[in-house]
Amino acid sequence: MKFLKDLDISKKRVLMRADLDVPLNDKQEITDDHRLKAALPSIRYVIEQGASLVLMGHLGRPKGEVV
């Protein structure tokens, strides 16, 4: 298994899929930011290495509906 720190990402474009699906209240406010804070070290590392970061995530489940 390779880890992020095992890769030479300097001056490269990195596509990062992060679990950013956070719980929201009725006002669409974030009620628990644990997942966002957990992703920060990896995000910061990629940027510090001089890579261009494309961050990908999703919010919620579609439940078969077009929203």
Side-chain angles (χ1 to χ4, degrees):
M1 175 185 297
K2 290 197 177 196
F3 295 93
L4 186 57
K5 292 186 177 188
D6 296 333
L7 304 172
D8 177 18
I9 58 173
S10 177
K11 297 182 182 179
K12 294 187 177 152
R13 187 176 302 137
V14 175
L15 175 62
M16 182 183 295
R17 165 57 169 95
D19 185 6
L20 304 175
D21 194 9
V22 294
L24 304 173
N25 64 16
D26 294 339
K27 296 178 184 177
Q28 299 299 304
E29 299 168 330
I30 296 171
T31 59
D32 182 2
D33 63 355
H34 176 75
R35 290 181 180 182
L36 299 173
K37 289 180 179 178
L40 281 175
S42 296
I43 293 168
R44 286 186 181 124
Y45 178 79
V46 169
I47 293 169
E48 289 168 358
Q49 295 303 305
S52 173
L53 178 63
V54 178
L55 192 58
M56 186 172 69
H58 69 90
L59 183 61
R61 294 187 176 265
K63 298 179 186 171
E65 297 180 32
V66 177
V67 179

